[in-house]
Amino acid sequence: EADIYQTPRYLVIGTGKKITLECSQTMGHDKMYWYQQDPGMELHLIHYSYGVNSTEKGDLSSESTVSRIRTEHFPLTLESARPSHTSQYLCASSESGGLSAKNIQYFGAGTRLSVL
Amino acid sequence: QKEVEQNSGPLSVPEGAIASLNCTYSDRVSQSFFWYRQYSGKSPELIMSIYSNGDKEDGRFTAQLNKASQYVSLLIRDSQPSDSATYLCAGGTSYGKLTFGQGTILTVHP
């Protein structure tokens, strides 16, 4: 079983607030990812990291930012939340390595964000 | 062409039947493939991975990879109502990222 944790699980906030979604993993994985998923829709990669001090934007443009100061921690921040940010945010991690089982991504339980 | 494309759903099968889920991929996706199951409101969980041409079996699940046709499938034998979920096909890239298909909704009715 994967040990990757996301908090909070649910968040309802007002427009303009700054929020940080937390993601931590205890598996020592180098690679971490943030996905955004609307109900019934595809997973979209918005950020990823290959290790400490490494962050990259994903395939879907996002107004959020991320940081990777410690291997186990990959928080996502929205400086000023808007209703268009309402979605589910999923964090995942995988081992570093090539084309094999090390590519398997393990997901956290997700944060469901509602911006009013 | 999308990098990973799943056959259109939703798919409905009776309990005990075989459910067949299909996925095609483009040249930009490398040779590692994964099937995830996602229950409504939950996060994806890995059910199968496959890296070599051919079949791979795990309990009631069989993954099939055909590199020549750029095709990967998942068969679920003796389908149960608890198998009702969205199934996501994903292909790995050389940088460790996964590209997900749009998902196929499976309903197993009693």
Side-chain angles (χ1 to χ4, degrees), chain A residues 31 33 37 42 50 101 105 108, chain B residues 2 36 38 43 51 95-96:
Chain A
K31 296 180 179 176
Y33 313 83
Q37 186 182 37
E42 294 177 56
Y50 287 150
Q105 290 186 16
Chain B
K2 295 186 74 170
Y36 285 83
Q38 186 175 26
S43 59
Y51 313 107
Y95 296 103

Side-chain angles (χ1 to χ4, degrees), chain B residues 38 64 84:
Chain B
Q38 186 175 26
Q64 300 173 318
S84 298

Side-chain angles (χ1 to χ4, degrees), chain A residues 2-3 5 10 15 19 24 32 35 42 55 58 60 72-73 87 93 96 102 105-107 112-114:
Chain A
D3 296 319
Y5 308 99
Y10 304 93
T15 296
I19 61 165
S24 294
M32 296 188 74
Y35 292 89
E42 294 177 56
T55 61
L60 180 69
E72 63 271 22
H73 194 214
S87 189
S93 72
S96 185
K102 294 182 178 180
Q105 290 186 16
Y106 299 94
F107 285 82
R112 192 170 297 277
L113 173 66
S114 294

Side-chain angles (χ1 to χ4, degrees), chain B residues 31-42:
Chain B
Q31 306 295 298
S32 57
F33 297 92
F34 309 90
W35 283 98
Y36 285 83
R37 177 176 61 200
Q38 186 175 26
Y39 292 114
S40 181
K42 303 294 186 182

Side-chain angles (χ1 to χ4, degrees), chain A residues 29-87:
Chain A
H29 286 172
D30 285 331
K31 296 180 179 176
M32 296 188 74
Y33 313 83
W34 276 104
Y35 292 89
Q36 184 175 343
Q37 186 182 37
D38 293 328
M41 305 298 285
E42 294 177 56
L43 281 166
H44 291 287
L45 181 68
I46 53 174
H47 297 284
Y48 60 100
S49 167
Y50 287 150
V52 171
N53 294 325
S54 152
T55 61
E56 301 287 344
K57 290 189 179 297
D59 305 320
L60 180 69
S61 175
S62 173
E63 294 168 344
S64 58
T65 59
V66 292
S67 63
R68 190 89 184 275
I69 298 171
R70 304 197 315 267
T71 298
E72 63 271 22
H73 194 214
F74 191 40
L76 180 146
T77 298
L78 275 166
E79 291 292 332
S80 179
R82 295 206 300 270
S84 60
H85 297 139
T86 294
S87 189

